[in-house]
Amino acid sequence: MATTDPGQAPESGARPFAVPCVRLDQRAPLRWLRAGWRDYRRAPGLSLLFGGVVLVVSLLISALAWSLGRFALLAALVSGFVFVAPLLGVGLYCVSRELEAGRQPRLNDSFVLARRVVGQAGVFALAQGIVLMLWSRAGMMVNALVPIERGDFATWAEFLLIGSAAGSVFAALTFAIAAFSLPMIADRDVDMVTAGVSSVNAVLRNKLVALQWAGWIVLLTALGFLTGFVGLVLVMPWLAYATWHGYRETLDASAWPRLD
């Protein structure tokens, strides 16, 4: 079970810089997945609708990139999806939020909430876009500075090792910021900086649990891609609902007013 981290308790009458978090046990990700699956089953219509949007966007990106054969176009389209994805995520978090409150989720509620947090979601998307560009530049630098000689296994191994190390830094940063921040801005009247810092803090205090959760995300997302994107209709809403429950279990945002 999760235990409260006493070092994160806010002082009376004052909000901490980072939202208080709890210490999680290793079974936490499985609890989140089970809770997310329950939400999917309780709201199948909205889940399939949002999942269908993810499927269509993914197919359009792939089809355009394949037909035109330009990596630059693919990068631009993926970057655009980075800006759309947070709003889709907020819409899905709204479904779990309404179910948790004992209300029947409606599509209109997701639109209303998305409009309310569009500014903060835009800040999140901008930050992720910057990380994406830096990640791409780092890859180009590795490609330029680490030469590969044909037939030389050692140079290939060196290139893959350095490239993977550089990529893992950006992947870890992206995951730490995104892990719990978006559900929080969909639930509380909080700025994106506070939400992002709180997410990073919670990940650092629960490293092994966060690593396991990242592994589940990668595994399920990969399965979604391996099914020709069709599996994303199931996987993406499921992961979004599970992420909501992860946020609710990990962060104590009671000092911030709820969004109505």
Side-chain angles (χ1 to χ4, degrees), residues 77-177:
L77 290 170
V78 171
S79 299
F81 187 65
V82 166
F83 284 84
V84 175
L87 292 178
L88 289 175
V90 168
L92 286 163
Y93 302 143
C94 182
V95 174
S96 286
R97 188 172 186 259
E98 292 298 297
L99 290 172
E100 183 180 295
R103 298 187 292 264
Q104 182 64 34
R106 300 176 302 171
L107 182 60
N108 185 61
D109 295 329
S110 294
F111 284 140
V112 170
L113 184 60
R115 286 198 298 268
R116 291 195 62 179
V117 303
V118 64
Q120 299 300 335
V123 173
F124 172 86
L126 181 61
Q128 295 299 320
I130 292 173
V131 172
L132 183 65
M133 288 188 291
L134 291 174
W135 195 342
S136 175
R137 290 296 180 183
M140 294 172 63
M141 290 182 62
V142 170
N143 190 53
L145 298 176
V146 184
I148 301 175
E149 297 181 13
R150 183 175 299 178
D152 189 342
F153 176 77
T155 59
W156 276 97
E158 182 182 20
F159 175 81
L160 291 175
L161 182 62
I162 295 175
S164 298
S168 64
V169 172
F170 290 99
L173 176 61
T174 300
F175 171 76
I177 294 173

Side-chain angles (χ1 to χ4, degrees), residues 157-248:
E158 182 182 20
F159 175 81
L160 291 175
L161 182 62
I162 295 175
S164 298
S168 64
V169 172
F170 290 99
L173 176 61
T174 300
F175 171 76
I177 294 173
F180 305 112
S181 57
L182 272 180
M184 185 178 177
I185 67 169
D187 182 45
R188 301 284 172 169
D189 187 9
V190 61
D191 63 274
M192 191 61 229
V193 174
T194 300
V197 170
S198 301
S199 180
V200 172
N201 177 63
V203 168
L204 291 176
R205 290 177 178 271
N206 296 279
K207 298 181 184 66
L208 293 180
V209 175
L211 183 62
Q212 183 190 157
W213 179 230
W216 279 110
I217 292 174
V218 171
L219 175 62
L220 292 174
T221 303
L223 290 175
F225 280 110
L226 289 174
T227 57
F229 301 118
V230 176
L232 296 178
V233 176
L234 171 66
V235 168
M236 289 295 103
W238 182 15
L239 285 176
Y241 299 151
T243 300
W244 167 266
H245 290 284
Y247 148 71
R248 293 290 289 155

